[in-house]
Amino acid sequence: MAGLDAFGTQLQRGDGGTPTESFTAIANATNITPPALERETLDVTSHGSPDQWREYIGGLKDGGEVSIDINYDPRLHDVLVADFDDPNPRNYKVVWPGTLGSWSFAAILKGFEPEAPHDDKLAASLTFQVSGKPTLTPGS
């Protein structure tokens, strides 16, 4: 198989409920970019490094950012402004189509950029900063 269809992928927002949190899809998503995992590398090269090759070890990991583009509807999406105002991370999930699994993470909404061009639809781009380690749940 050469690839998988991304249609149906969702970015879901947690309601903060306890003991069981419910998740609802952010409506009208047109493009979702999941966490961009990164890791620093630390240069541990010394005068004794074999054959004068640099040596590295892994450093801190970063969950990166998540972005979503939406067909913006203020009636559906302005609730997200509360996430922007909240300094504490909220739980989100990227849910892959069908039975492909999900990525769960806590994140802070750091950017909410609506646009209203004279010759196109209302749209918005949202950017989230992942806080901590994402949880990858494999599908079946």
Side-chain angles (χ1 to χ4, degrees), residues 30-78:
T30 59
N31 188 48
I32 300 169
T33 303
L37 306 179
E38 299 176 11
R39 184 177 198 152
E40 292 178 359
T41 54
L42 306 175
D43 187 340
V44 294
T45 307
S46 71
H47 289 288
S49 293
D51 298 321
Q52 296 182 318
W53 284 97
R54 290 193 180 275
E55 298 179 284
Y56 297 90
I57 59 172
L60 293 174
K61 298 176 225 173
D62 189 331
E65 293 182 347
V66 172
S67 63
I68 181 172
D69 296 325
I70 56 175
N71 292 326
Y72 178 49
D73 181 339
R75 298 166 296 185
L76 299 174
H77 299 113
D78 282 357

Side-chain angles (χ1 to χ4, degrees), residues 80-106:
L80 297 169
V81 173
D83 294 359
F84 181 80
D85 287 336
D86 189 351
N88 299 309
R90 174 181 287 273
N91 292 326
Y92 296 90
K93 284 191 221 184
V94 172
V95 179
W96 306 114
T99 59
L100 296 176
S102 64
W103 288 20
S104 302
F105 53 92

